[in-house]
Amino acid sequence: MLRVCLLLILVSCLIYQKASAQSDFFRPSPTYNSQRVTGIVIGEGVLGTAVTLWLNYLWYKKFPHSKFHFFNDNAEWLNMDKMGHATTAYNIAAIQNDLLRWAGVKPGTSAAIGTLTGLGFMTMIELMDGHSAEWGFSKGDMLANLSGCFLYEGQQLMWGQQRASLKYSYHHTMFAQYYPQELGKNATQEWLKDYNGQTYWLSVNIASFLPSSSGFPNWFNVATGYGADGMIGAMNNPAEINGKKIPDFKRYRQFYFSVDADLYRINGLSPFATTLLKISRTLKTPAPTLEWNKVQGVNWHWLYH
């Protein structure tokens, strides 16, 4: 979704940009560009409205509204939802910063606005949850949101760059077929709702910690991942759903170690190529991966995604 969001924003900005060569359009402005900023604001306004309506259709429309209330969901989904909140908040901040830097906004200002944008959007989601009878305002979710935003802003303040980033990967699982209302009725819903197929990664760029004279590839990362498996329900697996018996799946956490790539860091890329690669940097690069979980022990994946 984040890749599509950024692409739509850039297309919206193009409407307000004077005709120019493609490379000039994608090249960050050296000075404040009011036309680009205007395009970003309008594009994000349209996109924010569309996302809100989509979330309302996907989640909130099916359940009655209620007075604002809190809800403790810290024991649900083996904390995969919390990882999703942190990763989403982090990447919204990163994308917003990239857009504002493209428009010539100063680095410190663009990073601060990016962080506040990520926190603001995720807070809006929590407020919507707080007025839904099915859920409620989750303090655990807000802590995860803050963690993602602080990870981004903290690195900007400390190093002026992102040396460690939060990423996402997804693979299809068999679990949605047993409870499609909860885990997704189609591929579009499953990547968002089926936590069994999601993995969240902390990807660390090695070269950013080394002297520039080291010659170490500046795009090469190592990554640690977290996932979970065997989940049909939020806190436990139901024995049956709509009269259909559900197999007895074990619920367990998964831990991963892998390599990754920040391809947008490669020197000599065109502004257009850099932009395209930054759009996809929220996704972990498929790679050989080592997994450990308490049920199966150590597993090796030649190409995990």
Side-chain angles (χ1 to χ4, degrees), residues 163 206-217:
R163 297 184 178 184
I206 298 176
S208 61
F209 289 95
L210 301 175
S212 57
S213 59
S214 68
F216 195 88

Side-chain angles (χ1 to χ4, degrees), residues 195-257:
Y195 290 117
N196 300 283
Q198 300 175 8
T199 308
Y200 293 98
W201 302 86
L202 178 65
S203 182
V204 180
N205 181 257
I206 298 176
S208 61
F209 289 95
L210 301 175
S212 57
S213 59
S214 68
F216 195 88
N218 64 351
W219 51 266
F220 186 85
N221 292 13
V222 294
T224 57
Y226 176 72
D229 200 66
M231 301 177 294
I232 303 297
M235 297 187 65
N236 49 63
N237 294 344
E240 64 176 47
I241 299 175
N242 297 326
K244 182 179 180 180
K245 187 176 180 179
I246 305 300
D248 183 20
F249 295 111
K250 292 184 178 180
R251 301 163 63 97
Y252 59 93
R253 305 173 192 270
Q254 300 162 306
F255 302 91
Y256 301 92
F257 180 79

Side-chain angles (χ1 to χ4, degrees), residues 27-216:
R27 192 184 308 277
S29 176
T31 58
Y32 182 84
N33 188 315
S34 61
Q35 289 183 317
R36 291 186 176 185
V37 171
T38 299
I40 291 171
V41 171
I42 294 176
E44 289 182 348
V46 172
L47 182 62
T49 300
V51 170
T52 301
L53 292 174
W54 180 63
L55 289 175
N56 182 66
Y57 169 79
L58 187 63
W59 272 315
Y60 303 107
K61 185 178 180 181
K62 303 173 185 178
F63 304 101
H65 287 229
S66 67
K67 292 183 179 179
F68 180 82
H69 63 284
F70 291 93
F71 177 67
N72 185 349
D73 61 352
N74 293 335
E76 294 186 356
W77 301 114
L78 296 179
N79 303 126
M80 285 295 292
D81 55 328
K82 303 299 181 286
M83 297 298 296
H85 275 265
T87 301
T88 302
Y90 172 90
N91 281 291
I92 290 176
I95 289 173
Q96 181 72 302
N97 175 71
D98 287 345
L99 285 171
L100 293 175
R101 292 293 297 130
W102 170 75
V105 178
K106 294 180 179 179
T109 302
S110 64
I113 294 175
T115 301
L116 292 174
T117 301
L119 183 60
F121 179 82
M122 299 307 291
T123 301
M124 178 195 71
I125 300 298
E126 286 308 312
L127 291 174
M128 294 173 69
D129 281 352
H131 288 91
S132 173
E134 179 71 9
W135 296 285
F137 188 98
S138 168
K139 295 179 182 179
D141 285 354
M142 274 306 301
L143 180 60
N145 297 337
L146 288 167
S147 298
C149 290
F150 286 162
L151 176 63
Y152 181 81
E153 182 65 17
Q155 292 185 86
Q156 289 298 120
L157 292 174
M158 186 178 301
W159 299 311
Q161 62 174 319
Q162 297 298 297
R163 297 184 178 184
S165 56
L166 295 178
K167 298 188 178 185
Y168 164 92
S169 66
Y170 174 79
H171 59 273
H172 175 73
T173 76
M174 63 178 177
F175 298 105
Q177 63 181 311
Y178 296 106
Y179 201 178
Q181 292 83 359
E182 186 74 19
L183 302 179
K185 299 179 180 179
N186 51 55
T188 302
Q189 294 184 7
E190 286 176 23
W191 71 264
L192 180 65
K193 302 178 71 174
D194 183 9
Y195 290 117
N196 300 283
Q198 300 175 8
T199 308
Y200 293 98
W201 302 86
L202 178 65
S203 182
V204 180
N205 181 257
I206 298 176
S208 61
F209 289 95
L210 301 175
S212 57
S213 59
S214 68
F216 195 88

